[in-house]
Amino acid sequence: MRAQDSATAPSPIAVAEPPATSPTASAASRTEAPAAAAHGPAAASPAHQPTAATPSPATAPGRSGTVLAGLGVVAFSLTFPATAWGLESFGPWSLVALRSVLAALVAGGVLLAARVPLPARRHWAGLAVVGGGVVVGFPLLTTLALQTSTTSHAAVVVGLLPLTTAVLGSLRTGERPSRLFWGAALAGAAVVIVFTVRESGGALAAGDLYLFGALLVCAAGYTEGGRLARVMPGWQVIGWALVLCLPLAVAGSLVALPLEPVRLTAHGVVGLVWVAAGSTFLGLYVWYRGMAAIGVARASQLQLAQPLLTLVWSFLLLGEEISAAAPVAAVAVLVCIAATQRAGRRAARTSRAVRTPARRP
């Protein structure tokens, strides 16, 4: 007997379970209704039946998804200061190549130890987008920009990244955030941009072309990674993307290291280790898990806090100054983040209510 045939046998236990969504199970539940009545009122009592007021199990994953995405933002906020440290010891091309090699070795070791099978062929194109955006493109372009820009000025990229990621995510994954969400997202982006440009003196730096290019490729990598994280664990998404980029990273290291001077310092080594293990692997791991749980658009708006966190790390680690306007901007950004998260939760509840079938008395 097949497994799906055995599920059609009437039993008191099956009555207490929520109605199945498959056609076979739905037919079975209709067949079991008379049998349930024969077992007495206790079996068919409302206490044993799900109701519309039952709390959705998605609330816990939603909270955990927000926490995971927030941890990713904290990890990312250290990327620019760590890159500035890494440039004390390595050239820009060497630093990017080495961080990719180290991160790929960590990811490959974890995948090998867990005996994870190769992804399906249909996922490799998406993994290539993730690798090109967040493993190669964003690190390379921001590292080149940081040769002429301060970390506070480079934070303007992150100020625009949440909005860009939300737009691409809406186009790619079909998410349709509310007008309240978009209004809060635009307001948050405006606050971060005005604050960051004001902090950098209001002038565009020579590396701004690199920064705006990094913005586009990173948003594409985030969006595609968030989509893939719905069908495979987030750590496997970034793990396979890193492994896919390993041959290119090794070739880049072999070419760049002989051409660029290497002056090992404690700051340089720590910066390299962090951007490889912290930002590239661990940060993206929790980030993609969070995006899979709460959606690309909603998770992206948590990054509105990233430029302000980067400024704090720049003050503590690099000695860069922070103006008195920073607390004001921080409060405004937190208000915008709260608005986007509230709009996202409301949209999720509405979506679940629409998908929930009407219950017969």
Side-chain angles (χ1 to χ4, degrees):
M1 180 182 294
R2 294 178 300 176
Q4 66 180 22
D5 295 331
S6 64
T8 60
S11 69
I13 299 177
V15 177
E17 294 178 352
T21 56
S22 65
T24 304
S26 298
S29 63
R30 290 192 298 269
T31 305
E32 291 164 1
H39 287 285
S45 64
H48 292 272
Q49 297 178 355
T51 64
T54 302
S56 170
T59 53
R63 286 193 296 268
S64 64
T66 301
V67 172
L68 288 171
L71 291 175
V73 170
V74 174
F76 298 154
S77 68
L78 281 161
T79 300
F80 285 169
T83 300
W85 272 7
L87 287 173
E88 294 180 9
S89 296
F90 306 94
W93 295 90
S94 301
L95 180 61
V96 172
L98 287 174
R99 71 180 279 182
S100 299
V101 169
L102 293 178
L105 291 177
V106 173
V110 174
L111 291 169
L112 186 62
R115 298 182 179 180
V116 178
L118 289 173
R121 182 178 299 178
R122 66 182 183 276
H123 297 321
W124 283 108
L127 291 171
V129 174
V130 175
V134 302
V135 177
V136 178
F138 185 79
L140 177 60
L141 292 172
T142 53
T143 301
L144 292 173
L146 285 173
Q147 291 188 293
T148 56
S149 300
T150 63
T151 56
S152 58
H153 182 83
V156 72
V157 174
V158 183
L160 285 170
L161 186 57
L163 182 60
T164 308
T165 304
V167 171
L168 291 182
S170 179
L171 295 175
R172 183 69 178 93
T173 66
E175 295 181 19
R176 293 294 180 266
S178 65
R179 276 184 274 186
L180 172 61
F181 175 93
W182 288 117
L186 288 169
V191 169
V192 173
I193 292 170
V194 170
F195 172 74
T196 307
V197 172
R198 180 182 179 276
E199 290 296 291
S200 61
L204 294 179
D208 284 330
L209 289 178
Y210 290 132
L211 295 175
F212 289 124
L215 164 73
L216 295 176
V217 298
C218 188
Y222 281 172
T223 300
E224 198 63 21
R227 185 188 67 83
L228 288 174
R230 296 177 177 179
V231 296
M232 68 176 71
W235 68 273
Q236 292 184 22
V237 173
I238 185 57
W240 287 118
L242 285 165
V243 171
L244 186 64
C245 295
L246 181 58
L248 180 62
V250 171
S253 300
L254 294 177
V255 172
L257 284 173
L259 299 177
E260 293 180 333
V262 176
R263 298 178 296 272
L264 293 181
T265 64
H267 279 176
V269 173
V270 170
L272 172 62
V273 171
W274 176 257
V275 294
S279 300
T280 306
F281 183 69
L282 295 177
L284 287 170
Y285 160 60
V286 294
W287 175 246
Y288 284 140
R289 284 195 61 184
M291 292 183 84
I294 64 177
V296 174
R298 184 175 161 194
S300 68
Q301 298 313 297
L302 294 173
Q303 280 196 300
L304 287 171
Q306 186 172 330
L308 300 174
L309 290 173
T310 297
L311 291 178
V312 172
W313 297 126
S314 299
F315 170 75
L316 295 175
L317 301 177
L318 305 178
E320 295 183 6
E321 296 183 359
I322 299 179
S323 72
V328 177
V331 171
V333 165
L334 290 176
V335 170
C336 294
I337 291 175
T340 59
Q341 298 305 299
R342 181 177 180 182
R345 287 192 296 268
R346 182 183 300 173
R349 287 195 297 267
T350 302
S351 177
R352 289 195 297 270
V354 169
R355 292 196 302 265
T356 302
R359 311 277 185 191
R360 291 185 179 182

